[in-house]
Amino acid sequence: MAELNETHDPGRRSWVASANASDTDFPIQNLPFGVFRRAGGEPQGGVAIGDRILDLAAALHEGLFEGDAAAAARAAAGDRLNPLMALEPAAASALRRRLSDLLRAGGPDEARAGSLAERLLVPMAEATMELPARIGDYTDFSCSTHHMMRMGGGTVRPVFLHLPVGYHGRASSVRVSGAEVTRPLGQLAGKDGQAIFGPEPQLDFELEFAAFVGRSNALGQPIPIGQAEDHIFGYSLLNDWSARAIQFFEMALGPFLGKSFLTTISPWVVTQEAMAPFRTAAFVRPEADPPIPAYLRSEADRRQGGLDVRLEASLRTGAMRRRGDPPQRIVATNFRHIYWTLAQMLAHHASGGCDMRPGDLVASGTVSGPEDEAKACLMEANERGTRAISLPGGESRMWLEDGDEVLIRGRAERDGFVSIGFGPCDGRVAAAEARA
Ligand code: MN
């Protein structure tokens, strides 16, 4: 598990002025990695700092890195971050220390890096973000008992308390924030009980939190729970867009087309080390719940396996956008409500011998909590399709309509530390494609 060091020092400020704003997602204590394109350029690796992106290839070209930090910067500078994710955690850590030194006010290279700022820093407003990794496999777990309880009409099946339940998602349709979400077509139950094929009438979102896998394990060699954190490179926000009518008609084996039409992630990967100040105890299980099986049990995980991340989802309809209204917050929750830790999800995933690879994406499931405002999808908020939610301007929503935007944000905060964010995880619904 990553430890606190000088890169988390709340006194540290950057010579990049926008990184010192109290509401920025990307202060110098964050330094997440992502893949961006300059106008007309090729995808390349970068680091978010304030409202700028540090161009890693440009910084390498200027000779600003050496040793382990240079090796890690080369692994991160290409068109996807998989080579960086595959390295030992110490390599990303060396790069983080060097980046923090390069970008901090009063640092050893402030004058040199500052004089190169024009070449090193790209305004985010002029860049396009790409997927941070080639996602070989995407797994979506379902690890909020609050979510399962409301979706299941008041009960949680015992299996959810014995193991982190998940399904193999679709990696090819994962997109970064901003990609349009076309309403899917599919088979669903018609009024007379017959199957019909048509546009999904009950389009929903699920607010989730996700981990990118770092180092791999060999096929047949499980990841012990005590080492699972070292196989997680970092974290992003995720929207598991869900077509409820298609999902519940088809779901004999698990979700399939109801979940595969598109998944949105935030483009920046906040590293395991950046999250060190925001570690917290794992979810405390009710006494009556089954004991944690040995292969998922670790004292360190119980004490520190949780993450304190405030998560919100907002909705903006086409009418709100035309009026210039701000998005309306409809979910406020926290990752602490998740029953299993991400380390337990990863250890369970590999427990049968499945090999996890750098850049694989593992999502938590809908991050719902006990409070009404912590219902983290529409199907919970609308009480399984029986009570529409109210929006400003007299509108209401049971399910998402064409033109609706869902905007997910996350922020990690702790007294005595500088809070960090994840960037946007947004998508707008477009009408189903007309098809004969
Ligand atoms: Mn989900």
Side-chain angles (χ1 to χ4, degrees):
M1 211 167 274
E3 308 215 326
L4 292 173
N5 56 44
E6 71 276 14
T7 64
H8 305 100
D9 178 355
R12 225 167 239 219
R13 295 172 68 80
S14 177
W15 51 263
V16 180
S18 58
N20 304 320
S22 61
D23 60 347
T24 182
D25 279 350
F26 308 119
I28 193 168
Q29 288 80 7
N30 194 347
L31 304 175
F33 294 94
V35 171
F36 71 101
R37 271 189 298 113
R38 295 171 184 257
E42 296 294 313
Q44 57 175 125
V47 177
I49 178 80
D51 61 4
R52 297 286 190 271
I53 302 170
L54 178 84
D55 178 331
L56 286 166
L60 278 160
H61 183 77
E62 299 296 342
L64 294 172
F65 302 111
E66 53 190 38
D68 285 351
R74 280 192 295 275
D79 64 352
R80 293 292 182 258
L81 299 174
N82 304 64
L84 174 69
M85 293 170 168
L87 299 176
E88 296 285 319
S93 186
L95 178 54
R96 175 180 164 86
R97 280 172 202 253
R98 177 59 184 149
L99 288 165
S100 183
D101 265 345
L102 276 177
L103 291 166
R104 76 181 161 98
D109 290 289
E110 178 178 4
R112 185 159 162 235
S115 72
L116 296 168
E118 284 286 301
R119 252 174 276 174
L120 299 180
L121 299 176
V122 182
M124 281 181 183
E126 293 170 19
T128 309
M129 298 308 295
E130 298 249 335
L131 280 179
R134 264 182 301 279
I135 301 168
D137 274 299
Y138 158 46
T139 300
D140 193 21
F141 283 93
S142 184
C143 292
S144 159
T145 49
H146 305 287
H147 175 66
M148 295 316 302
M149 183 90 78
R150 295 193 191 102
M151 299 292 276
T155 55
V156 178
R157 288 165 55 197
V159 67
F160 287 93
L161 311 180
H162 287 293
L163 53 87
V165 171
Y167 66 95
H168 293 296
R170 183 73 192 169
S172 71
S173 51
V174 179
R175 293 291 183 279
V176 288
S177 179
E180 196 172 69
V181 183
T182 302
R183 180 181 301 274
L185 299 168
Q187 278 204 47
L188 42 100
K191 284 207 161 56
D192 54 1
Q194 298 292 101
I196 57 171
F197 184 88
E200 168 62 51
Q202 301 179 354
L203 190 61
D204 201 352
F205 67 92
E206 292 186 341
L207 184 167
E208 304 199 13
F209 193 70
F212 274 98
V213 174
R215 281 182 308 157
S216 56
N217 59 304
L219 183 70
Q221 303 214 331
I223 299 172
I225 181 65
Q227 293 170 25
E229 289 286 350
D230 288 342
H231 289 262
I232 295 175
F233 175 80
Y235 307 96
S236 294
L237 310 176
L238 185 143
N239 185 343
D240 176 25
W241 301 92
S242 297
R244 299 298 186 197
I246 296 172
Q247 179 188 346
F248 288 108
F249 188 66
E250 75 180 357
M251 209 159 71
L253 270 181
F256 188 49
L257 303 187
K259 301 272 193 175
S260 66
F261 52 99
L262 195 136
T263 302
T264 305
I265 58 170
S266 55
W268 295 103
V269 186
V270 174
T271 62
Q272 180 78 281
E273 191 169 7
M275 288 302 294
F278 313 106
R279 287 271 161 201
T280 185
F283 182 89
V284 178
R285 294 157 180 256
E287 294 251 324
D289 285 6
I292 302 170
Y295 75 102
L296 298 179
R297 195 165 59 223
S298 125
E299 196 36 49
D301 189 56
R302 284 286 90 194
R303 252 193 349 261
Q304 293 278 309
L307 291 169
D308 188 348
V309 184
R310 205 158 52 71
L311 297 161
E312 295 186 356
S314 302
L315 180 60
R316 183 161 52 186
T317 68
M320 290 166 72
R321 201 162 46 245
R322 283 189 292 279
R323 286 197 303 267
D325 291 350
Q328 170 75 22
R329 192 180 78 181
I330 56 172
V331 182
T333 185
N334 193 296
F335 190 65
R336 286 176 309 175
H337 298 311
I338 288 287
Y339 191 84
W340 300 95
T341 66
L342 280 160
Q344 287 173 320
M345 293 180 219
L346 196 63
H348 175 70
H349 207 317
S351 63
C354 166
D355 48 341
M356 308 298 295
R357 293 177 300 186
D360 284 357
L361 184 63
V362 175
S364 64
T366 311
V367 187
S368 298
E371 311 89 358
D372 266 356
E373 64 175 10
K375 296 171 171 174
C377 66
L378 282 178
M379 191 164 170
E380 287 180 61
N382 69 21
E383 296 172 7
R384 302 205 291 169
T386 61
R387 217 188 60 155
I389 61 167
S390 300
L391 295 170
E395 282 190 286
S396 66
R397 282 292 181 275
M398 191 73 87
W399 307 104
L400 296 173
E401 296 187 5
D402 296 344
D404 287 356
E405 283 172 279
V406 178
L407 307 96
I408 295 176
R409 295 290 181 277
R411 203 148 172 98
E413 295 164 328
R414 186 167 169 196
D415 282 349
F417 290 91
V418 174
S419 69
I420 65 175
F422 294 79
C425 181
D426 301 346
R428 189 195 293 191
V429 178
E433 305 243 343
R435 212 180 293 177

